Amino acid sequence: MAFNWFNTSKLLIPYFTLGDPSISETETLVRGAFDNGAGIVEVGIPFSDPIADGPVIQASHLRALSSGESPTISAGFGMVQRVKQDYSKPIVFMLSVNLIISYGINEFFNDAKASGLNGVVIPDLPIEEAGDYLAASRKARVAMVFLVSPLCSPSRLERIVNATDGFLYLISTTGTTGTRDTMPADLPEFVAKIKKIRNIPVAVGFGISKTSHVKSVLTYADGAIVGSHFVTLLVAEGTPRVIREIAEFASV
Amino acid sequence: MTRSHFGHFGGRYVPDTLFSALESLEATYRTVASTPEFKAQYSKLLKDYVGRPTPLFFAERISAEIGAKIYLKREDLNHTGAHKINNAIGQALLAQSMGKRRIIAETGAGQHGVATATACALMGMECVVYMGEEDIKRQSLNVYRMKLLGATVVPVTSGSRTLKDATTEAIRDWLANGTHTHYIIGSVVGPHPYPTIVRDFQSIIGRESKKQIQVAEGRLPDYVIACVGGGSNAMGIFHAFVKTSSVNLVAVEAAGHGLDSGEHSAALNRGTPGVLHGSRSYLLQDSFGQIQLAHSISAGLDYPGVGPELSHLKDSGRLRLETATDIEALAACRWLSQTEGIIPALETSHAIAVLKTMSFKSDDIVVLNVSGRGDKDIGTLMENGL
Ligand SMILES: Cc1ncc(COP(=O)(O)O)c(C=O)c1O
């Protein structure tokens, strides 16, 4: 399926956790991000036990879950619906598979479509288990964005690259989400390997925290995903500071 | 090939980063663990180091009181005091053959942590054990043992600060360090191939029991009883009997403050299917799919999930599900101590407790897995006035 979110441009993709510090503040962040140059926004639906996330995002999930609000999938759809009345840029959810199982796979993709959600990243759903999800997502025309790491074997890589919709999410370092000082050196080569299988946009995530990282990632990839860094900044200095940082990262 | 699913349960729900480590573990397990050399090395350690076979003891006084023939499979007599060592030694050998020198583990009661620290000391490997802060408090003796054995114990402060959170942290460590680290998971949970590997290493319990009961009674038992946390001592003793339908497999979960209190660890009894820690199984979760906090007086049962194979056996109608509350487990601990001179672990005490709540015929033969000894629980027992 063609989504054409990138066309020929390079995109900054910020991540926020729904409900950290509140659902309305997350909405403000999403709108602010779009106004300041973000190409796609990724919204995490908090889960009690996120195995794929590092300490910063896990703490963000736990804050959201104990905020007194209910930052559920439905609340996320509600926010998407409001934002999509004013913006056409893509919003994707990132969430643990158990939340979708609990919601119901078909119900999830139908309601996603109705809300205007454009795609979904499910970090703990491997291609081997994804059959029902792919079928439902294609019917609803909601992109299933898959994740790969440079450790992926050639045969799995081919399968994943051919299955992913929208873009491919490349985890830049082994390990969980989180900020790092230096970026791994083997990524450009790996991106080239992906593009040889299929000419699909590749966005690099997990570890980007500086303008110099964004600049270097965007020389060989199509998108730069920034999560932990913005979440940390949000806690320390608040929404306006995060929006300024997005504007700076987006202008490289 | 090993099976990746048990009916609708199991699988490998992990980020791509872990796939290569799981694939290499599966390949090593398939090619190495079945060789005569590996089997000989493993059996020799179980015999000379762990002290196997463990006895099957006819418990005369409780048999008379219950009115059935009660046999106790004495896993508490293993080196380090619980069944966990069967798996820890096996997986440490696998790590050696994969050339991985750093070992990580999660622990609840501390028995799996101690067993892993022991195996690492024996084989000269680095050992890091993740343990919830709450469990560090209630199982302080085992924390001290792990440190004495040379392991690093990392306190986990997120979530309920118990086994669930320790497991999450261990998986995180493995995500970051999988290329040179082996994760020795302590129960029949986690992504494929762990539930199969752990079950296979623990299945020695059932194989021995089957032979021993044949010698003692000339026939197979009517009931095999085990407590269930993740399910490793249960699958270990059940496995040899699963295909014999005349043997009732009794899985005992922790009812904590009562099944209707909302504070228990009875995932098979009260859970719904979902994904936690890399596989699909019965789970305690709310209506949005958030994992609920489990509760049990025993740290080793205080887990909101259960292994995929037990989940499947439940759905196939092969299990008889029972529970025991905190209070019943405490009473059973005292009962076994004073009638047979065996102080069981609080986990095991849950299995002991159902001897009093189930009804048996006088010629019924019951084999109960005494998964561990109670020394580690002395603090909790004292606090509860035992
Ligand atoms: C003595 C003992 N029995 C039982 C358990 C529960 O684990 P499993 O269900 O995997 O046997 C533990 C776990 O720590 C334990 O230490």
Side-chain angles (χ1 to χ4, degrees), chain A residues 46-55 58 62 65 70-72 97-99 101-103 123-126 128-129 133 147-153 156 160 171 173-176, chain B residues 4-5 10-20 23 158-159 164-165 167-169 171-172 175-177 179 273-278 280 283 285-292:
Chain A
F47 180 52
S48 52
D49 297 83
I51 56 168
D53 289 298
Q58 184 195 28
L62 296 180
L65 289 173
S70 272
T72 57
V97 68
N98 197 51
L99 297 177
I101 293 173
S102 178
Y103 196 96
D124 57 348
L125 179 73
E128 287 79 359
E129 309 281 353
Y133 298 78
L147 264 151
V148 289
S149 81
L151 297 174
C152 195
S153 70
R156 285 194 81 236
I160 295 169
I171 310 170
T173 354
T174 59
T176 52
Chain B
S4 60
H5 290 74
R12 203 176 253 173
Y13 290 88
V14 294
D16 178 64
T17 329
L18 276 188
F19 251 79
S20 56
E23 281 170 343
S158 55
K164 163 177 84 82
D165 313 284
T167 306
T168 302
E169 279 311 308
I171 293 175
R172 285 241 187 76
L175 269 160
N177 302 302
T179 46
V275 171
L276 174 66
H277 296 148
R280 189 166 189 278
L283 293 180
Q285 54 184 329
D286 70 13
S287 58
F288 298 108
Q290 305 290 350
I291 308 305
Q292 288 176 319

